[in-house]
Amino acid sequence: MTLLIDPRRAILPVDGAGVLRPLGLNEARISPDGYWGAWQTVNSRAMIDHCDEWMQRVGWIGNLEAAAQGTLPDARRGREFTDSDVFKLVEAMSWEHGRMPTPAREQRIQELTAVIAAAQEDDGYINTQFGRPGQRPRYSDLEWGHELYSYGHLLQAAVARGRTAGHDELLSVATRVADHVCEVFGEGGIESVCGHPEIELGLMEFARMTGEEKYRRQAELFLERRGTGVLGHIEYGAEYFQDDIPIRDATVLRGHAVRALYLAAAAVDLAVDRDDRALLAAIERQWENTVRARTYITGGMGAHHQDEAFGADFELPSDRAYCETCAGVGAFMLSWRLLLATGEARYADMMERVLFNVVATSPAEDGRSFFYTNTLHQRTPGVPGEPGEQNHRAASSMRAPWFDVSCCPTNVARTFASLDAYVATAEADGVRVHLYTTCEISADLGGGRVADIRLRTDYPENGIVRIDVPASSGDPWNLMLRIPDWANGAEIDRGGSTDAVSPGWATVGGLGSEDESIELRLPMAPRFTFGDPRIDAARGAVAVERGPLVYCVESSDLPGEMHVDAVTVDTGVPLRADGLRVTATGRLTPLGDEPWPYGGPSSTDGSGVVEIPLTPYNSWGAKPSTMRVWMRTA
């Protein structure tokens, strides 16, 4: 097989009607001294290895070894989808090795690839839960079995490896898997879909890398079948699987949040490759309605614990917010694809929001424990688990080192490892910068033109972004800078001349003829944010944001560690900021212990005016505390 791209090319090439071209890992490089570079360092030095160590400890990797040794099903450990987490681990390792190659990382990728290859059967099938004596038959449980879901993650791992190292054994394994899927589920085969969308994404990315149209066609078949009732009845209803309405007819994302987001992301890929403007418009409509009425202030999605699902419009409870970390990754992936397809800044705004306030909230500072879900209101202090203890699921109490359902840690790891490719994009006229972090960009614009820029910034601690542009040969080019939707009052200084710029895209034209320095100044004063009154948790309450960050109050920061429900904020007094620290003004009203919690107006007795320290939401939970994002107003 001949790959259509050179190693280290873009993470997500656009073959059809996309407006923007993503940059490859050889065109954009995040520096380790920036905000996201620091997270990439944690990922490289701790998070990826942590995931590897845990998968060895709990048996996820051992399941694949047992498949090769013929000791299944007795030797199998974990849930039916554990294979997929091994594949996501390899994807994270592959992107990280492409970013910062080391002999040790290469050796480990090859070791895991050998384990995966040994577990594959002659016809391409690979799964440790089905198909052997003592196990259920292959594809006998498409609703819950996750066989095709796991294939999708294997294909994405092979894409990461192919784009960073070229053709190797993992790509051969993935090719056999993709051919097997086309044979079994193609025209005249099993006319159904997987209960958890993901194979569609994997096939689309694999088709783009290899140039094999049959893989794209198979993804198209899966998308066409979904919503036609091909899966069995379950207690959560067909919308849980997005099998209730054809994807072109749906008006909003519904059902299981991660499933819905992965499916929509694959549909955008197909729409771009087919130049199917009707399909793209359908997903844009679903994104708009979901952001309008089914998304938390953090960018989190999913209001229900029971089925990990979206709620009805404006059903966004704070204390029961599910907001799974994987749904944050899915929202990032979907918004990225819509950004590439349309060039509209609002999608990059959502990428930034969910990246700062969901994806970066999940891991602890050391990269060795995680939130699975991301509540906006913690009523009781979390209870730390025993060191080395595996969490049985997802309660947002304290970050846990590992979970029975271990999808989130590897999702965070693969996102951070590939983050360089999301910073900026190229087009015929120049470069657009979407995410602000210290980095270097050298984008090939075609025709011998190369756009070189260096960004230096302490964002989000402050809003100053310095951009150095060296002189280059060829025709001049433009630099388009994203002005976030909250950044009213932003300015651009070019050569001592300052211009006000509005949210959206700000263009600095005619670059490259000489060395230049440009400074973008984003207003970073903290601000009060009020919610739509149809959101019960936001009625009579206020949240605080500063730049891209959502803030919260924790009991560990209050006098006597008073419960956060005692806080009342005075929105008539301006917020104060000192770097990332923000302080509000308000009162603390002691919470009573009445025998009946209903009656007349509550007492306003309490402390006098006090300062209320607020912390970035993405750093909450370092120690047991109560917490809330939406605070009562005076």
Side-chain angles (χ1 to χ4, degrees):
M1 177 187 298
T2 301
L3 302 188
L4 291 189
I5 48 82
D6 295 327
R8 302 175 61 78
R9 175 73 192 280
I11 179 176
L12 187 65
V14 177
D15 301 329
V19 172
L20 307 180
R21 177 182 74 79
L23 303 184
L25 298 182
N26 58 334
E27 294 181 288
R29 178 57 58 92
I30 294 174
S31 303
D33 53 348
Y35 184 90
W36 293 117
W39 268 123
Q40 286 188 317
T41 298
V42 170
N43 191 40
S44 178
R45 295 179 178 175
M47 199 180 303
I48 291 174
D49 291 340
H50 174 84
C51 293
D52 189 2
E53 292 161 5
W54 266 96
M55 280 192 240
Q56 294 178 63
R57 181 188 307 186
V58 298
W60 297 181
I61 295 171
N63 290 338
L64 291 160
E65 294 170 334
Q69 295 162 3
T71 57
L72 294 176
D74 292 343
R76 196 181 191 286
R77 301 290 180 268
R79 295 288 299 273
E80 62 275 9
F81 37 68
T82 57
D83 297 351
S84 68
D85 291 323
V86 181
F87 304 150
K88 279 193 291 181
L89 172 64
V90 175
E91 181 186 350
M93 288 181 171
S94 296
W95 289 127
E96 183 58 31
H97 184 62
R99 195 182 70 86
M100 295 287 287
T102 66
R105 188 79 72 200
E106 174 66 19
Q107 179 180 348
R108 187 55 179 155
I109 293 170
Q110 291 187 16
E111 290 171 352
L112 290 172
T113 297
V115 170
I116 294 167
Q120 187 170 39
E121 300 186 35
D122 291 342
D123 65 349
Y125 182 85
I126 178 170
N127 191 276
T128 62
Q129 178 74 8
F130 295 89
R132 296 169 184 80
Q135 294 182 323
R136 288 175 291 174
R138 296 178 179 184
Y139 309 120
S140 58
D141 187 3
L142 287 173
E143 288 77 19
W144 302 108
H146 288 76
E147 289 155 287
L148 293 170
Y149 166 85
S150 296
Y151 291 160
H153 283 301
L154 175 57
L155 294 175
Q156 287 183 311
V159 168
R161 184 64 171 161
R163 296 199 188 285
T164 55
H167 195 151
D168 74 345
E169 186 176 19
L170 185 62
L171 192 64
S172 297
V173 170
T175 299
R176 292 192 292 271
V177 164
D179 289 344
H180 167 80
V181 171
C182 292
E183 180 179 349
V184 175
F185 288 88
E187 281 99 343
I190 300 174
E191 295 186 356
S192 191
V193 299
C194 183
H196 197 311
E198 164 62 17
I199 183 61
E200 300 87 352
L201 269 174
L203 285 168
M204 286 301 306
E205 293 186 21
F206 204 60
R208 286 172 162 178
M209 188 177 71
T210 63
E212 290 289 343
E213 174 59 26
K214 67 178 181 179
Y215 303 146
R216 184 179 288 105
R217 175 54 185 157
Q218 185 60 54
E220 187 173 31
L221 283 174
F222 284 137
L223 285 162
E224 289 173 350
R225 290 170 185 165
R226 194 168 301 265
T228 60
V230 293
L231 293 172
H233 174 76
I234 63 167
E235 60 182 311
Y236 303 134
E239 71 174 21
Y240 178 86
F241 299 130
Q242 294 73 52
D243 197 32
D244 57 329
I245 305 171
I247 195 164
R248 294 175 183 273
D249 299 335
T251 59
V252 69
L253 298 181
R254 69 243 175 266
H256 188 280
V258 179
R259 286 168 163 85
L261 289 159
Y262 282 10
L263 185 70
V268 175
D269 284 354
L270 182 67
V272 167
D273 286 7
R274 295 279 194 248
D275 197 13
D276 188 336
R277 300 185 185 279
L279 178 58
L280 180 61
I283 305 303
E284 288 191 89
R285 179 178 66 246
Q286 293 168 33
W287 185 93
E288 291 167 2
N289 289 334
T290 301
V291 168
R292 178 186 63 85
R294 298 188 176 187
T295 300
Y296 286 90
I297 187 174
T298 57
M301 297 184 183
H304 293 174
H305 277 245
Q306 174 179 267
D307 50 355
E308 303 179 307
F310 290 99
D313 284 357
F314 303 105
E315 182 189 352
L316 295 166
S318 286
D319 53 352
R320 291 294 293 167
Y322 199 71
C323 290
E324 185 183 340
T325 298
C326 285
V329 172
F332 183 82
M333 292 163 56
L334 173 58
S335 296
W336 165 244
R337 285 162 168 80
L338 288 169
L339 171 65
L340 293 178
T342 67
E344 294 187 18
R346 57 180 176 158
Y347 298 120
D349 287 341
M350 181 54 66
M351 287 171 60
E352 179 178 68
R353 179 173 293 275
V354 76
L355 191 61
F356 272 108
N357 299 298
V358 179
V359 180
T361 302
S362 176
E365 288 185 359
D366 65 358
R368 295 187 178 276
S369 59
F370 305 83
F371 280 136
Y372 187 110
T373 62
N374 295 280
T375 187
L376 276 68
H377 184 185
Q378 183 69 31
R379 290 186 177 276
T380 58
V383 179
E386 294 295 325
E389 179 182 88
Q390 182 174 335
N391 191 297
H392 291 298
R393 198 54 190 277
S396 291
S397 174
M398 299 287 287
R399 292 178 180 88
W402 203 246
F403 305 91
D404 290 346
V405 179
S406 54
C407 49
C408 295
T410 48
N411 239 346
V412 174
R414 67 174 180 153
T415 301
F416 283 164
S418 59
L419 202 55
D420 302 72
Y422 298 101
V423 169
T425 55
E427 54 196 284
D429 293 337
V431 171
R432 296 188 191 226
V433 179
H434 309 297
L435 302 177
Y436 295 116
T437 190
T438 298
C439 64
E440 294 182 358
I441 296 170
S442 183
D444 184 355
L445 302 181
R449 293 187 304 159
V450 175
D452 286 318
I453 60 176
R454 182 187 178 195
L455 275 71
R456 292 170 294 157
T457 181
D458 292 327
Y459 184 83
E461 186 169 340
N462 65 53
I464 304 299
V465 182
R466 297 178 179 86
I467 306 159
D468 294 327
V469 184
S472 59
S473 59
D475 295 332
W477 50 273
N478 299 327
L479 176 64
M480 283 73 76
L481 301 175
R482 180 181 61 89
I483 310 302
D485 56 0
W486 46 262
N488 293 302
E491 297 177 335
I492 290 179
D493 184 302
R494 182 182 186 183
S497 176
T498 301
D499 293 314
V501 288
S502 301
W505 296 112
T507 300
V508 182
L511 294 171
S513 60
E514 60 182 355
D515 293 349
E516 290 195 61
S517 291
I518 298 161
E519 188 170 275
L520 170 64
R521 301 167 188 158
L522 298 173
M524 299 296 283
R527 59 194 185 274
F528 290 117
T529 300
F530 299 88
D532 189 295
R534 288 170 288 185
I535 303 172
D536 283 348
R539 190 183 301 119
V542 68
V544 170
E545 298 180 271
R546 179 182 175 274
L549 298 175
V550 174
Y551 279 71
C552 66
V553 59
E554 288 190 83
S555 58
S556 55
D557 292 330
L558 297 177
E561 298 201 356
M562 184 174 284
H563 198 287
V564 294
D565 290 355
V567 170
T568 301
V569 174
D570 187 347
T571 57
V573 179
L575 296 159
R576 299 182 304 285
D578 181 11
L580 289 176
R581 296 180 58 84
V582 171
T583 304
T585 299
R587 295 178 180 271
L588 299 174
T589 303
L591 303 176
D593 189 20
E594 301 297 329
W596 181 243
Y598 309 100
S602 60
S603 171
T604 58
D605 294 339
S607 66
V609 175
V610 296
E611 292 189 339
I612 301 168
L614 306 176
T615 189
Y617 173 76
N618 64 19
S619 64
W620 90 274
K623 58 182 179 179
S625 65
T626 58
M627 178 278 297
R628 65 185 301 156
V629 169
W630 291 104
M631 299 167 286
R632 290 187 300 162
T633 56

